[in-house]
Amino acid sequence: MRQKIDPLNKKLYGSVTAILTVTDVKAAAAFYQKAFGFAKRGIMNGPDGKAIHAELTLRGTTLMLGPEMPQMGSRGAKAIGASPTSLYLLTENADKTVAKAVRLGAAPKGPVMDMFWGDRCGTVVDPEGYTWMVATHIAQPAPKEMQQKMKEQMEQMASQQTARAASAGA
């Protein structure tokens, strides 16, 4: 008797799965496991023994990794010089997770701070060049409160930029 195949493969995947192109599949998989807590579902090697595909999971989300293949137009964030996409990672403790990622080789992009929408966030660029916003949900502001906090946060950022520009010109 033929097994019925689920065309959406819901046992293993959600509706959308991110695939990151990386320079070294095994090294990137190891970083994401250590820094962010992903579990390794599997790594597939090609005929030459090099990893050509990895699947990592975290709380029901799958992250796939594949190697750069410039001949096929597949280049990673580091090769391009920036990540056009940011990944938003919810964690129990953004401060600890950001600090751990930095210890493991990620570059920090500003401090971890409370954001107007109710999350405490910090941003890092991983060794492959991908930007991760690491967050912990700490509050559930009402829409009006969120609007006010957004205005205050934008004003604070603008005044900090003005102060930096003034000190750079002095």
Side-chain angles (χ1 to χ4, degrees):
M1 187 158 193
R2 273 190 129 160
Q3 179 184 355
K4 184 167 173 19
I5 302 295
D6 174 9
L8 300 177
N9 203 358
K10 290 179 273 196
K11 282 187 180 177
L12 293 178
Y13 305 101
S15 298
V16 176
T17 299
I19 304 173
L20 302 182
T21 299
V22 297
T23 56
D24 183 328
V25 171
K26 286 183 180 173
F31 175 84
Y32 299 137
Q33 289 173 78
K34 291 176 190 165
F36 301 138
F38 279 89
K40 179 173 67 173
R41 180 183 288 159
I43 295 182
M44 181 187 310
N45 293 327
D48 63 358
K50 283 187 169 183
I52 60 167
H53 180 79
E55 290 191 14
L56 307 174
T57 60
L58 181 67
R59 296 187 314 270
T61 297
T62 300
L63 178 65
M64 293 184 186
L65 306 175
E68 290 186 314
M69 289 187 275
Q71 69 277 18
M72 297 183 75
S74 181
R75 298 181 321 163
K78 204 168 17 174
I80 294 169
S83 174
T85 300
S86 293
L87 297 130
Y88 200 84
L89 176 67
L90 284 163
T91 65
E92 291 284 334
N93 188 318
D95 294 87
K96 283 184 180 177
T97 302
V98 166
K100 185 178 193 179
V102 169
R103 275 195 315 277
L104 292 168
K109 284 182 72 177
V112 178
M113 57 191 273
D114 296 349
M115 303 304 288
F116 65 86
W117 59 85
D119 289 356
R120 181 161 178 79
C121 292
T123 303
V124 296
V125 178
D126 73 30
E128 287 290 334
Y130 290 97
T131 301
W132 293 78
M133 287 184 74
V134 180
T136 301
H137 192 62
I138 59 169
Q140 193 68 46
K144 196 170 189 170
E145 181 185 6
M146 193 183 305
Q147 283 294 115
Q148 180 59 37
K149 286 184 176 196
M150 178 177 32
K151 182 179 177 212
E152 291 166 7
Q153 206 160 37
M154 297 299 203
E155 288 169 356
Q156 181 184 16
M157 288 173 23
S159 68
Q160 288 171 348
Q161 286 177 335
T162 303
R164 276 195 296 271
S167 67

